[in-house]
């Protein structure tokens, strides 16, 4: 298959693997590796004989998605320096995400000490429409200037990232290169950025992949002092608008969980679909 070719056709030979390992040993993509490592540790607990005296095992057994007959644990990754637009579409449609050259997918995670299922989300753009809340966000930000162009990381964006990450109290990313390659506009595939300016000052930026029939959000950041503007949602709406204007079929906004979490904002869009981890996408409602 096209997806398998990303892994097998020379892009992941030993030489490339060594190059990828060197890249990963620096600042790049540490955060997802840490998350996957945490999931892997939980995998060990998943298949131990449960102890009735431990609430953690009790909680695992109570989760429907861990039912023995239906649950299949997924925790996979690979590295690729080049992915075509068509291959990117196929990977996204199979639940894959990527930060830089590291591609990954996993269907179980731990959020605030609670074992939960990971849910990949996308919007079917032919059925998408704006809610009143989303229209208000657009109206609120009419005074801002939006520029969409190939990704280019400069001092202004790195400074914005440093300010933005101060809003997190755990899993704090090291740098913007945790999410992007050092040649993000081309590696592993075409990527664009949304830059939002207020009086010529950068107040928000987001980055997204461009596939043949879909685009996929990678990361967004905004100035903390502009929190009331909902700029994270605003950049998502700018990405969706770009996708619609360019005839794309899907917009992938990333993962959320089957419990209430920090990522719930991704669930609050119309025409939303979720991946069932068995190869099918179905309508999603909170």
């Amino acid at each position: 298959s096209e997806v398998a070719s990303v892994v097998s056709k020379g892009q992941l030979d030993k030489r490339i693997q060594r190059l990828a390992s060197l890249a990963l040993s620096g600042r790049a993509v540490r955060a997802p590796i840490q998350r996957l490592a945490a999931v892997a540790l939980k995998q060990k607990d998943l298949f131990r004989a449960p102890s009735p005296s431990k609430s953690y095992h009790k909680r695992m057994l109570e989760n429907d998605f861990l039912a023995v007959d239906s649950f299949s644990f997924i925790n996979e990754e690979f590295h690729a320096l080049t992915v075509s637009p068509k291959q990117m579409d196929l990977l996204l449609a199979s639940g894959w995400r990527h930060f830089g050259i590291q591609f990954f997918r996993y269907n179980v995670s731990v959020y605030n000490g609670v074992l939960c299922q990971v849910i990949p989300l996308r919007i079917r753009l032919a059925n998408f429409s704006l809610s009143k809340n989303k229209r208000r966000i657009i109206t609120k930000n009419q005074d801002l200037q939006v520029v969409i162009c190939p990704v280019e990381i400069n001092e202004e964006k790195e400074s914005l990232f440093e300010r933005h990450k101060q809003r997190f109290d755990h899993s704090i990313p090291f740098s913007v290169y945790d999410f992007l390659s050092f040649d993000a506009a081309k590696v592993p595939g075409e990527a664009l950025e949304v830059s939002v300016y207020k009086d010529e000052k950068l107040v928000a930026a987001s980055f997204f992949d461009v596939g043949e029939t879909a685009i996929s959000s990678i990361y967004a950041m905004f100035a903390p002092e502009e929190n009331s503007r909902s700029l994270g949602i605003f950049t998502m709406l700018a990405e969706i608008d770009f996708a619609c204007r360019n005839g794309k079929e899907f917009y992938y906004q990333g993962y959320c969980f089957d419990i209430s979490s920090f990522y719930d904002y991704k669930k609050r869009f119309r025409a939303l679909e979720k991946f069932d981890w068995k190869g099918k996408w179905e309508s999603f409602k909170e």
Side-chain angles (χ1 to χ4, degrees), residues 70-270:
S70 61
F71 177 74
S72 178
F73 186 87
I74 296 173
N75 182 20
E76 302 171 316
E77 67 172 328
F78 68 88
H79 304 142
L81 294 176
T82 304
V83 174
S84 72
K86 185 175 182 180
Q87 289 171 334
M88 185 67 76
D89 286 348
L90 290 168
L91 287 165
L92 293 169
S94 299
W96 289 90
R97 305 290 300 165
H98 82 94
F99 290 151
I101 63 172
Q102 183 203 28
F103 286 76
F104 56 89
R105 66 175 187 169
Y106 53 96
N107 63 351
V108 175
S109 189
V110 178
Y111 183 79
N112 287 340
V114 178
L115 191 70
C116 55
Q117 186 176 27
V118 175
I119 303 174
L121 295 175
R122 74 181 185 186
I123 294 171
R124 185 173 290 272
L125 296 172
N127 300 332
F128 177 74
S129 63
L130 293 169
S131 64
K132 289 183 179 180
N133 173 265
K134 301 301 186 290
R135 291 182 186 278
R136 281 196 294 268
I137 291 173
I138 292 173
T139 301
K140 185 189 300 185
N141 293 296
Q142 283 185 334
D143 60 318
L144 304 180
Q145 297 78 49
V146 177
V147 177
I148 298 179
C149 62
V151 176
E152 182 180 357
I153 302 302
N154 53 27
E155 290 184 7
E156 188 176 30
K157 293 188 183 76
E158 289 188 306
S159 175
L160 178 62
F161 178 86
E162 291 300 319
R163 289 155 56 210
H164 172 77
K165 77 178 189 180
Q166 300 306 316
R167 60 195 294 266
F168 303 113
D169 57 10
H170 66 281
S171 300
I172 301 172
F174 182 75
S175 86
V176 69
Y177 293 108
D178 282 10
F179 308 98
L180 303 171
S181 75
F182 287 94
D183 188 11
K186 300 177 182 178
V187 177
E190 181 185 3
L192 301 179
E193 67 179 37
V194 174
S195 295
V196 182
Y197 296 90
K198 177 183 179 183
D199 300 325
E200 300 185 356
K201 179 183 178 182
L202 184 69
V203 294
S206 67
F207 312 98
F208 62 95
D209 292 311
V210 181
E212 196 171 86
T213 64
I215 73 169
S216 174
S217 179
I218 301 172
Y219 190 74
M221 55 191 182
F222 57 85
E225 65 271 20
E226 300 290 348
N227 186 60
S228 63
R229 287 181 175 268
S230 302
L231 289 175
I233 301 297
F234 182 67
T235 57
M236 290 179 73
L237 293 172
E239 292 173 356
I240 291 170
D241 178 67
F242 173 89
C244 291
R245 288 188 289 104
N246 285 273
K248 304 300 183 183
E249 188 176 356
F250 299 109
Y251 173 75
Y252 291 84
Q253 62 262 61
Y255 291 162
C256 69
F257 298 143
D258 67 339
I259 61 174
S260 179
S261 76
F262 173 82
Y263 305 105
D264 283 356
Y265 67 91
K266 299 178 184 180
K267 303 175 182 177
R268 299 175 186 135
F269 288 83
R270 292 177 175 173

Side-chain angles (χ1 to χ4, degrees), residues 25-43:
S25 67
R27 295 186 297 172
V29 296
R30 287 183 179 175
I33 289 176
Q34 292 170 350
R35 285 196 293 272
L36 288 170
V39 173
L41 287 174
K42 295 302 177 184
Q43 181 184 13

